[in-house]
Amino acid sequence: MILGGTTKITYAGRAAGRLGRSAGARRACAVVLAGAVAACLSVPLAHAFDGTAQTLQPYETQPMTPPANVPLAPAVRPVDEAFRTGAQALRAGQTAKGIDALGYAAAQGHAMAQWKLGRIYADGDGVKRDDAKAFDYFSRIANTHAEDYPGTAQSRFVANAFVALGSYYLVGIPSAGVKRDAGRARDMFSYAASYFGDADAQYHLGKLYLDGVGGPRDARNAGRWLTLASQKGQFQAQATLGQLLLRGDEGVPRQPARGLMWLTLARDAAVRPEDKWVVALQEEAFADATPDEREKALAYLETWLKTAKR
């Protein structure tokens, strides 16, 4: 394709509490001729299991090789070694050395190295933030690995690269000549959401449908994508879906108790300062809910948690 993780909620007690209250060798040389003695003496000595000296036949001095049907460990590629060296250097706080090694691996097409560098520059992790470089690394991954088999370890990082590109297209990068293109952003999120089944992409896609960004507004379609992401534990999607169900929308019937359930799940995962909006939404929803809605929300929550643990 050419461009042009969440975890399940395990806070059952805490979430329910909010609603309730507010894996031997034979000898070698027989002396037949005098000349044979000298030859025999030239053969190296070994010892039998009982400690007696014995000589080895010439073929027994050769290195042994495994049978042909025994698989050999694959040789470590220099590019893989460079990635490992770079990752170790970063963990040790040797940023310059780490980036240099990762840069070599990335130049050879190592997807993990490209993704790691993309995240480093996107987050300004130990270096000056550089969205242009981050965009370039993420683009290399998307252009080369768009058809990687879903469900593999590497495919998660490929999907994340698409999500990063979508986020960049939403705002643009003037220094890299990347113009704001909401339609292109929706394409990036849509591909990662549908092909890779990425929960973050599904959340972003649902949000775009809900806000009518990059295309027509479609609350019903938004609800579908938000539900898929919510079922995978994406807490931002859970909060957005909860709010949608609380108020209802075109094609989405109002379901306040189920909306309160999703908001309560989301609140348990909202631990960062930037997640305060989730906490505020849940507290407001709980305060406005009737006793019957709270009771139903608790029942929904308990059922969902039991199912999610299977």
Side-chain angles (χ1 to χ4, degrees):
M1 177 179 180
I2 302 302
L3 287 178
T6 57
T7 55
K8 291 183 178 178
I9 301 299
T10 57
Y11 307 99
R14 194 164 63 203
R18 284 201 177 90
L19 284 174
R21 64 166 170 75
S22 36
R26 58 191 294 185
R27 294 187 179 278
C29 299
V31 181
V32 178
L33 297 174
V37 176
C40 185
L41 293 177
S42 67
V43 177
L45 292 176
H47 293 82
F49 290 115
D50 61 3
T52 57
Q54 60 180 359
T55 57
L56 296 174
Q57 295 289 358
Y59 68 84
E60 294 179 299
T61 66
Q62 300 300 315
M64 297 184 65
T65 57
N69 61 342
V70 177
L72 298 176
V76 177
R77 300 183 303 165
V79 66
D80 293 327
E81 184 59 34
F83 171 74
R84 182 162 42 242
T85 298
Q88 291 174 345
L90 290 176
R91 286 194 295 269
Q94 301 172 321
T95 304
K97 179 180 178 181
I99 290 179
D100 184 61
L102 290 176
Y104 169 80
Q108 305 305 310
H110 196 287
M112 289 292 293
Q114 293 170 343
W115 178 85
K116 184 62 177 177
L117 286 171
R119 287 262 53 98
I120 288 175
Y121 285 114
D123 300 334
D125 186 9
V127 298
K128 182 179 179 181
R129 177 172 172 171
D130 192 327
D131 292 323
K133 286 185 178 180
F135 183 86
D136 177 62
Y137 282 120
F138 291 137
S139 295
R140 296 188 205 181
I141 297 172
N143 282 328
T144 309
H145 298 277
E147 296 182 359
D148 279 13
Y149 193 79
T152 63
Q154 180 168 290
S155 69
R156 293 186 296 111
F157 299 98
V158 176
N160 183 264
F162 273 94
V163 172
L165 289 172
S167 298
Y168 276 129
Y169 276 118
L170 279 177
V171 296
I173 311 175
S175 62
V178 179
K179 296 182 179 180
R180 183 179 181 278
D181 189 337
R184 192 66 173 151
R186 184 181 284 203
D187 290 341
M188 296 294 102
F189 294 138
S190 180
Y191 187 81
S194 57
Y195 182 74
F196 291 110
D198 184 83
D200 290 332
Q202 291 169 344
Y203 159 65
H204 286 292
L205 182 59
K207 193 72 166 58
L208 292 186
Y209 274 118
L210 190 60
D211 297 338
V213 176
R217 186 178 187 277
D218 188 337
R220 186 176 179 82
N221 210 12
R224 290 171 177 168
W225 286 111
L226 292 172
T227 298
L228 286 173
S230 295
Q231 291 172 340
K232 296 173 183 176
Q234 217 286 354
F235 77 94
Q236 296 161 306
Q238 291 173 341
T240 306
L241 177 61
Q243 187 180 33
L244 175 62
L245 295 176
L246 278 173
R247 67 171 186 256
D249 208 318
E250 185 177 356
V252 181
R254 185 172 182 272
Q255 303 176 61
R258 198 170 294 279
L260 181 56
M261 177 207 74
W262 285 119
L263 278 166
T264 302
L265 283 170
R267 174 173 176 160
D268 278 331
V271 296
R272 304 172 302 175
E274 58 265 38
D275 300 328
K276 290 182 179 179
W277 64 276
V278 176
V279 177
L281 283 177
Q282 193 276 340
E283 290 180 346
E284 181 181 356
F286 183 84
D288 294 341
T290 65
D292 182 59
E293 289 169 347
R294 295 178 186 177
E295 185 178 352
K296 287 183 179 179
L298 177 59
Y300 288 145
L301 176 62
E302 291 174 343
T303 300
W304 190 90
L305 290 171
K306 290 177 182 178
T307 304
K309 289 180 179 179
R310 291 177 183 175

